[in-house]
Amino acid sequence: MIAKVKRTYGSGIEALTYMGQNYMVVDRSLIPELLQILRDEEKFDYCVDITAVHYPKREKQFDVVWILYSFPRNERIRVKTLIADGESLPSSVPIWATANWLEREVYDMFGIKFDGHPDLKRILLPEGWKGFPLRKDYGILQQDNEWVQINLGIESGQ
């Protein structure tokens, strides 16, 4: 499968294995087409998770990772791309409906936007919350004191 994909996309894909788990590092411009091919041709019919990792000292600060599973193949694969702060990615909701809430969580926790998402808004934190708690520059005890005061009428417990 990887050889076939690499023949199609060439240098935009790097296939790797870590501790027995296959993953691909993919140029962000190839993401929508590659995810569609993985679902349609390679039968990765379930999007298990979409997540991100923040590396604030890198130029492309975020790794965005899709964890996919194929029931017919009984196989899992990860697809990873790197993006800079402020860049967005195409939504994968048209490919897997389960991506809806997963992309909302990545947006809520990291501030990464997905173009074409049907309802991209916070899913865990209230609308109007300032900051993105899973970024490494968000303090471990930090919270939106202003939101807490206005909406709960109490001083922050931190």
Side-chain angles (χ1 to χ4, degrees):
M1 173 187 73
I2 298 295
K4 179 178 145 186
V5 171
K6 278 193 72 75
R7 276 193 307 275
T8 304
Y9 296 104
S11 64
I13 295 180
E14 181 181 5
L16 302 160
T17 300
Y18 179 73
M19 297 186 71
Q21 293 289 312
N22 296 324
Y23 70 99
M24 292 184 268
V25 179
V26 179
D27 183 270
R28 71 185 284 269
S29 66
L30 301 176
I31 287 294
E33 187 176 350
L34 178 67
L35 293 178
Q36 190 77 51
I37 286 170
L38 288 172
R39 188 200 68 184
D40 296 345
E41 296 177 19
E42 301 301 331
K43 307 302 179 206
F44 284 90
D45 42 6
Y46 177 47
C47 181
V48 177
D49 199 6
I50 302 170
T51 191
V53 184
H54 185 216
Y55 298 97
K57 294 180 180 172
R58 289 190 333 202
E59 180 181 339
K60 292 188 175 187
Q61 293 186 15
F62 296 98
D63 288 0
V64 179
V65 183
W66 290 258
I67 302 170
L68 310 176
Y69 182 75
S70 169
F71 285 99
R73 299 166 72 120
N74 189 27
E75 187 177 339
R76 186 179 306 264
I77 194 165
R78 288 174 177 81
V79 176
K80 177 167 72 170
T81 195
L82 284 67
I83 64 169
D85 191 13
E87 289 184 323
S88 61
L89 290 162
S91 176
S92 52
V93 171
I95 302 170
W96 299 283
T98 57
N100 190 319
W101 283 20
L102 302 172
E103 289 177 356
R104 285 180 59 193
E105 182 178 16
V106 171
Y107 167 69
D108 197 6
M109 296 290 109
F110 293 94
I112 297 169
K113 294 184 179 175
F114 294 88
D115 298 330
H117 188 283
D119 190 24
L120 192 62
K121 62 183 180 183
R122 291 194 181 266
I123 191 168
L124 300 171
L125 293 170
E127 284 296 325
W129 189 268
K130 292 184 182 117
F132 304 102
L134 290 184
R135 288 186 178 205
K136 291 200 171 90
D137 53 6
Y138 192 92
I140 194 164
L141 296 178
Q142 179 179 344
Q143 64 176 280
D144 186 347
N145 294 324
E146 180 184 354
W147 187 93
V148 170
Q149 178 65 44
I150 291 170
N151 292 282
L152 301 179
I154 59 174
E155 292 298 317
S156 168
Q158 298 296 333

